[in-house]
Amino acid sequence: MQTFKLAMRMLLAACVGLPVSGCWDNKDINHRALPVVMGISKADETFKVTLQIPEPAGTTTQTKIVTDTGSTITQAVDKISMNLESNVDLLHLKVVLFEKPYAQQGLNESISGFMRSRDISPKALVVICDEDLDTFFARVTRTKQPSGTPLYDFFEKNAGWSPQIALTRIWQVYRSIHSFTRDVAIPIIRSGKSTQVEHIGTAVIKNGKMVERISPDDTLLFNAFQGQSTQGKIEVMDHASVLVVSNTIRHKSGLANGRPHVESVINLKVSVLETRETPSTASIQKDLETLLTGRFNRMFAKIQAAGADILGIGQLFRAELNREQLKRWRTDYYPDVNLDFRVQAVIQNQGHLKAPAD
């Protein structure tokens, strides 16, 4: 009987220890490197990966820049992890920065790899750098000793984001690669002269490849067309400057003799900030509508010529075209889209503006 009790106690002790043995390979948070920015470039068949890793430094946080190469992105990251005192964990990555020549070659391979491996969050932002990544990170570090996560804060809506900046995530790029009717726009940055980062425009991405570029002012209208808020943007005209208070958009679409037709109207509420030569309310309103409508039409002509539907116009016709027709959206339908775009502005606050007396 004593032998049986002893055997049962030993068995129970062994069973209690089994769940604990499954955690042998877990690493404490203090032994993990958590990069917030990953830079990727490609030369021939070799990838170069740069990681920006925050590190506590007294009462503040400094950043470390580490770089390595490999035949794949994963191999380069493994080399960095091997040479660090901590294991690299990419799940907290916030920004993936691609060098422009690689974006022009096509991002399909990398984006598909991210989605397949799940090492990187699909919500991480995708950004394009318009200069050599080594130069970019060196200048950013030299301009001002980086603290915290300045590059991520640049795109954070609660920090430095502006409505002239497009926000595109890994899953959106992946979706566009496999979509018949939707392309994406990715912000382009470089190191600034008096600031760490300078936004210089937006890349037009078709099937994962950069095919065109639009300006920050065009990006504002792109965001408005997508229903994003453009609140806080200041528009300057010849006789006045106004502040955008709110915006809404509505679409009406249809097929006429097989040709897609879209009517889009953006409603803007603005507040007058400054005036020159005492213009009337009506003239300010007309000038604003003319300025934005002309800017949008020029932008649409550019992206339509590139065959990239970053506005997602094809989405409006998914109920009217069958799958075989949608496959030919970019080649047979999109080049013939007739887009009637209008801006309707309402001056909500005139400030000290006085309309001329009748």
Side-chain angles (χ1 to χ4, degrees), residues 202-213:
T202 302
V204 176
I205 306 296
K206 176 185 177 183
N207 293 328
K209 183 181 297 185
M210 179 177 172
V211 295
E212 189 54 87
R213 170 189 282 187

Side-chain angles (χ1 to χ4, degrees), residues 21-300:
S21 64
C23 302
W24 66 271
D25 59 344
N26 279 359
K27 289 184 172 60
D28 187 85
I29 187 69
N30 295 327
H31 298 291
R32 287 189 291 169
L34 306 174
V36 292
V37 178
M38 172 191 280
I40 301 173
S41 61
K42 186 179 181 182
D44 297 325
E45 296 302 318
T46 302
F47 288 92
K48 186 173 185 178
V49 174
T50 303
L51 298 180
Q52 189 179 56
I53 306 173
E55 289 188 331
T59 58
T60 185
T61 302
Q62 303 299 328
T63 56
K64 176 194 293 184
I65 307 296
V66 291
T67 304
D68 217 318
T69 60
S71 57
T72 65
I73 295 174
T74 303
Q75 184 185 44
V77 173
D78 283 345
K79 286 183 178 180
I80 293 174
S81 184
M82 176 182 65
N83 295 322
L84 283 176
E85 64 278 6
S86 302
N87 184 61
V88 174
D89 187 341
L90 300 178
L91 285 177
H92 294 270
L93 203 67
K94 302 299 184 184
V95 178
V96 179
L97 187 63
F98 290 102
E99 202 171 76
K100 189 177 73 170
Y102 181 35
Q104 292 172 329
Q105 294 176 26
L107 305 175
N108 301 30
E109 180 182 346
S110 297
I111 295 296
S112 298
F114 295 157
M115 295 296 292
R116 187 183 306 111
S117 67
R118 299 186 181 182
D119 290 335
I120 299 174
S121 169
K123 295 181 180 180
L125 293 168
V126 180
V127 183
I128 292 174
C129 184
D130 194 32
E131 63 184 324
D132 178 79
L133 287 182
D134 290 339
T135 303
F136 173 80
F137 283 108
R139 287 179 177 174
V140 166
T141 304
R142 186 168 59 248
T143 301
K144 180 181 178 182
Q145 185 63 29
S147 60
T149 55
L151 189 55
Y152 174 60
D153 290 341
F154 184 82
F155 298 99
E156 175 58 45
K157 285 193 173 184
N158 295 325
W161 180 79
S162 163
Q164 291 176 284
I165 300 174
L167 294 180
T168 302
R169 305 183 186 278
I170 289 176
W171 70 267
Q172 292 173 313
V173 180
Y174 181 78
R175 178 188 62 183
S176 73
I177 293 172
H178 300 280
S179 173
F180 303 137
T181 57
R182 189 196 297 266
D183 294 302
V184 291
I186 298 178
I188 306 174
I189 64 170
R190 62 181 300 118
S191 56
K193 296 179 180 178
S194 60
T195 59
Q196 286 188 319
V197 180
E198 180 182 353
H199 176 248
I200 60 174
T202 302
V204 176
I205 306 296
K206 176 185 177 183
N207 293 328
K209 183 181 297 185
M210 179 177 172
V211 295
E212 189 54 87
R213 170 189 282 187
I214 59 176
S215 69
D217 286 338
D218 292 340
T219 308
L220 175 82
L221 294 173
F222 162 78
N223 282 333
F225 197 91
Q226 302 299 311
Q228 299 258 1
S229 173
T230 59
Q231 180 180 3
K233 175 63 177 72
I234 297 175
E235 288 292 343
V236 180
M237 298 164 287
D238 291 337
H239 300 289
S241 61
V242 298
L243 176 70
V244 177
V245 177
S246 66
N247 62 281
T248 58
I249 188 167
R250 64 180 187 272
H251 305 290
K252 183 180 179 182
S253 60
L255 291 172
N257 298 323
R259 184 183 183 187
H261 178 77
V262 179
E263 294 181 10
S264 298
V265 180
I266 287 184
N267 296 285
L268 289 180
K269 289 184 179 180
V270 301
S271 177
V272 177
L273 297 179
E274 300 176 58
T275 60
R276 304 184 191 92
E277 302 175 0
T278 61
S280 66
T281 302
S283 66
I284 295 176
Q285 180 178 327
K286 183 179 179 180
D287 287 349
L288 179 61
E289 292 174 351
T290 302
L291 173 69
L292 297 183
T293 301
R295 182 187 298 167
F296 181 90
N297 288 334
R298 289 189 294 272
M299 183 263 288
F300 179 66

Side-chain angles (χ1 to χ4, degrees), residues 300-322:
F300 179 66
K302 179 185 291 188
I303 62 176
Q304 189 178 34
D309 190 4
I310 61 173
L311 298 176
I313 295 174
Q315 294 294 107
L316 302 174
F317 295 91
R318 293 189 69 88
E320 301 182 53
L321 300 175
N322 59 42

